[in-house]
Amino acid sequence: MKLLGDRILCRLIPQEKKTESGLILITADKKEDEYEVINVGVKVKHLKPGDRVRKFRYSDSTQAMYNGESCLILSESCDVEYVK
């Protein structure tokens, strides 16, 4: 998939909350907002594949299938923040 402009292709990073004893906690709020960058467009300046980003709550995104995975296409300029 070739991305145009400042678009980035991201996949969701699954997050589980565990206790020290190893029990998996079920949470009522499912905050699925941290993603891993898979591919970047030609005008992306600050991100590269492998970086982690967070999607803002009301940002526009497009869902896409990439290699059998459900992914999101986001805009670097207004939709994401870099996570170290």
Side-chain angles (χ1 to χ4, degrees), residues 32-67:
E32 298 179 348
D33 63 346
E34 196 166 313
Y35 296 86
E36 179 183 4
V37 177
I38 299 172
N39 200 354
V40 296
V42 293
K43 292 185 179 180
V44 175
K45 298 176 183 176
H46 306 290
L47 297 172
K48 62 185 181 304
D51 286 346
R52 290 180 174 225
V53 294
R54 250 188 230 129
K55 177 175 113 49
F56 293 132
R57 185 174 191 172
Y58 296 110
S59 62
D60 292 330
S61 61
T62 304
Q63 290 190 351
M65 291 298 287
Y66 181 73
N67 291 339

Side-chain angles (χ1 to χ4, degrees), residues 11-83:
R11 80 170 148 235
L12 178 66
I13 298 172
Q15 296 179 356
E16 294 180 343
K17 294 187 177 186
K18 291 186 179 181
T19 62
E20 291 180 13
S21 62
L23 296 173
I24 298 174
L25 299 176
I26 299 172
T27 58
D29 61 333
K30 298 206 175 213
K31 291 188 176 183
E32 298 179 348
D33 63 346
E34 196 166 313
Y35 296 86
E36 179 183 4
V37 177
I38 299 172
N39 200 354
V40 296
V42 293
K43 292 185 179 180
V44 175
K45 298 176 183 176
H46 306 290
L47 297 172
K48 62 185 181 304
D51 286 346
R52 290 180 174 225
V53 294
R54 250 188 230 129
K55 177 175 113 49
F56 293 132
R57 185 174 191 172
Y58 296 110
S59 62
D60 292 330
S61 61
T62 304
Q63 290 190 351
M65 291 298 287
Y66 181 73
N67 291 339
E69 283 186 286
S70 179
C71 299
L72 288 180
I73 299 175
L74 304 167
S75 174
E76 180 195 32
S77 62
C78 62
D79 293 332
V80 298
E81 69 179 352
Y82 181 70
V83 177

